[in-house]
Amino acid sequence: MSFEPHPDRLQKLEALAKEGIPPWPARSPRPEPAAPLVEKIDEREGTRAVVAGRLGTIRDFGKLRFAHIHDLSGKIQVVFSRERLGEWWPRRKLVEAGDIVAVKGEVARTKKGEPSVWADEVTLLSKALLPPPEKWHGLKDVEIRYRRRYVDLFANPEVRRVFLVRSKVLGVIRRFLDDRGFLEVETPLLHPVAGGAAARPFITHHNTLDMDLYLRIAPELYLKRLLVGGLERVYELGRVFRNEGISTRHNPEFTILETYQAYGDYNQVMEMVEELFHELALAVHGKTTFTYQGEEISFQAPFERRRYLDLFREANGFDFFDADRVKARAAELGIEDKGLGPVSLAGEIFEETVEPKLAGPVFVLDYPKELSPLAKTSPEDPRLVERFELFVRGMEMANAFSELNDPLDQEERFKEQVARSGKDAEAPKEVDTDYLVALRYGMPPAGGLGVGIDRLLMVLTDSPSIRDVILFPLLRRLPAGEEEGETVE
C-alpha cells in the first residue's frame, strides 16, 4: 500500500490555496478541553466555547453536518449549519475527517440531547494528506499499529489510555520515592566498561577519544558509587539497553527503576516494594485487586515469600546443588550445557520449571551465590546471597539485593565472571576497576532494587505484550517502499 499523499486530498489542498485558506496556519485559537464541556453541559448551555482537535467521521444531512472533535480529554460533537456559517459554508467539503480544526460557537444540546458546539467560525489548523482509519474503527493490524503509533494513538482511545496511565505511574513512583527521602539522579548512558547486569551490550565508538563505549545495561554501579560519595538514598528512572531477543516480554531498549538506600538490606527493600505496588494499584485502579489477562491479581501486602531452593526442589524433586542430577535434568528438558558449571545449569532449569508457574505476586528469596555476583553473602548459608526477585504471572518484575560492599570479595567475583566470558556471551569482558576503587573507600551497607517499568505497566494496564506499553518499540526495518499491515484508507 502507499503512504503517499492521497490524490483527493491533494486536490482539496489546491482548492484551499485558491480560496486563500492556509492549510497549516501559524496561529491557533486557544481551545478548552472537550470532556469538561460535555460533563458540564447544563451549566455551559448557551455560552460560547472554542474547541480544537481532530475531526472524526462527518455525517452530512444537507443543511447540517455533524462530526466529533477528538482531543486528549475526550470528544464533543460539533454541528456545522448553513444558517450559522454563512460565507464559510460553500467551503465545507474542503475540511474532512482527519483534519485538525478549531471551532468557535455556542454550547448547546441537539434535539437528541447530545452536548455540542454549534459552529459559527471554523479554522483549519492542519490539513491531513492521508485519511484516518476507516470510520474510526481503529487500526487492527498489530504490526502497523506499532509502526504507525502516531495513528494508533489518535485512532484507538484505549491505546492512548495506556500511555496516560504510563505517565501517571511514573509520577506516582517519583512522588513515592521523593516522600521517602530519595534523591533522583542521572548517571551515564555511555559506559567505558559494561557491567551491573548479565546481558550482552550494544557497542559504539567515540571518535575524539578513540575508544569503544557501551550503552548501559544497568545504572547500578554508578548509583552505588554515589552511596560511597555520601548520597544515602538515590534512584534513577531511565532507559537501559540490552542486545537481546525480542518477545512479548523483551524489548532491547526498556525503562528501569533502580533505587539504593544506605543502612538497609533486602528486607527493607521488600517492604518498600509492597508499599509501592500497593500505591500504584490504587492510583491506576482505585483498589488493590484487579485482573490481568483474565486472572485476578492482588497488590495488597504482604506478598507471598518463598525460598529459591525450596521452589527448585518442589519442581524438580532433587537438591539444587546435586550436580549429577542437574545435568541429567537439563538433558531431559533440552537445555544446552554451555560448560558454565552445574550452578548456572541449575539456574536455567529454575527458569524453565519454576518461573512460569509463579502466579504471584511472590518474592523468591535467597539465590545461589554464583548467580548473583553483586549481592551480599547470606550469614545463614555461604552458598547463598541475600537477594529476591518479585514475580507476577510468571514474569520477573523486580530484582533486589543486600548489596555487596566488601571490595575484596567483589574483586574475586568480578574475576570469576570475566573468566567465564569466553563461554558466556552475557558475562562482562573486563573488571570494572574504578568501581572496585570506589568500594575500597568504603560503601555503607545498603539495599538495592531494580524494577522493570514496562512489565509492571503490562500488568497494571492488562496489556499482553511489552510493545503495547512502549510508545515506539524496536521493529525490524522494512525495505524502502515496502509496508506491511492493513490499509489505513
Side-chain angles (χ1 to χ4, degrees), residues 119-140:
D120 54 39
E121 185 177 337
V122 179
T123 304
L124 177 62
L125 299 177
S126 182
K127 183 64 184 173
L129 300 185
L130 285 171
E134 186 181 2
K135 297 181 181 178
W136 286 68
H137 290 163
L139 295 175
K140 304 301 182 186

Side-chain angles (χ1 to χ4, degrees), residues 39-61:
E39 292 168 5
K40 299 179 179 179
I41 182 63
D42 293 329
E43 299 174 29
R44 292 295 304 273
E45 194 155 11
T47 65
R48 292 181 57 76
V50 179
V51 292
R54 192 178 297 273
L55 275 180
T57 301
I58 298 173
R59 307 179 305 283
D60 195 326
F61 296 93

Side-chain angles (χ1 to χ4, degrees), residues 379-447:
E380 285 80 32
D381 187 339
R383 301 174 303 171
L384 307 179
V385 293
E386 290 192 341
R387 173 187 177 186
F388 74 75
E389 288 188 315
L390 175 66
F391 287 87
V392 177
R393 292 297 177 262
M395 289 192 294
E396 176 203 338
M397 308 292 290
N399 185 23
F401 312 145
S402 295
E403 298 296 335
L404 179 60
N405 61 342
D406 177 343
L408 304 179
D409 187 1
Q410 185 66 83
E411 183 173 6
E412 288 305 309
R413 294 202 212 177
F414 276 169
K415 288 179 178 178
E416 289 171 8
Q417 278 189 301
V418 171
R420 297 206 315 271
S421 63
K423 297 178 180 179
D424 184 357
E426 295 184 346
K429 302 299 184 286
E430 64 177 296
V431 172
D432 190 336
T433 54
D434 182 73
Y435 178 67
L436 293 175
V437 170
L439 287 186
R440 290 169 192 156
Y441 280 102
M443 185 180 89

Side-chain angles (χ1 to χ4, degrees), residues 277-295:
F277 278 45
H278 178 274
E279 287 205 17
L280 289 173
L282 289 178
V284 175
H285 297 287
K287 56 186 178 181
T288 56
T289 301
F290 54 95
T291 59
Y292 175 65
Q293 299 299 286
E295 298 183 39

Side-chain angles (χ1 to χ4, degrees), residues 41-173:
I41 182 63
D42 293 329
E43 299 174 29
R44 292 295 304 273
E45 194 155 11
T47 65
R48 292 181 57 76
V50 179
V51 292
R54 192 178 297 273
L55 275 180
T57 301
I58 298 173
R59 307 179 305 283
D60 195 326
F61 296 93
K63 296 180 181 180
L64 290 174
R65 303 185 107 205
F66 298 87
H68 283 91
I69 275 187
H70 301 250
D71 66 13
L72 185 60
S73 72
K75 64 180 181 178
I76 189 169
Q77 181 170 264
V78 291
V79 183
F80 306 98
S81 71
R82 185 170 68 178
E83 179 183 352
R84 289 176 180 252
L85 285 168
E87 293 182 4
W88 186 87
W89 184 251
R91 304 167 178 169
R92 65 193 181 282
K93 292 187 179 180
L94 301 180
V95 174
E96 54 200 323
D99 291 351
I100 297 173
V101 301
V103 171
K104 294 182 182 180
E106 181 183 354
V107 179
R109 294 182 185 272
T110 61
K111 290 181 179 180
K112 293 184 177 180
E114 182 168 357
S116 303
V117 176
W118 292 72
D120 54 39
E121 185 177 337
V122 179
T123 304
L124 177 62
L125 299 177
S126 182
K127 183 64 184 173
L129 300 185
L130 285 171
E134 186 181 2
K135 297 181 181 178
W136 286 68
H137 290 163
L139 295 175
K140 304 301 182 186
D141 186 278
V142 171
E143 178 77 8
I144 199 170
R145 281 185 50 231
Y146 297 146
R147 290 190 183 278
R148 308 293 174 209
R149 181 68 88 189
Y150 36 84
V151 180
D152 193 25
L153 285 166
F154 75 69
N156 293 327
E158 66 276 12
V159 171
R160 197 160 56 245
R161 184 193 70 83
V162 166
F163 292 102
L164 293 177
V165 169
R166 183 183 181 104
S167 180
K168 183 176 186 178
V169 163
L170 295 177
V172 171
I173 290 171

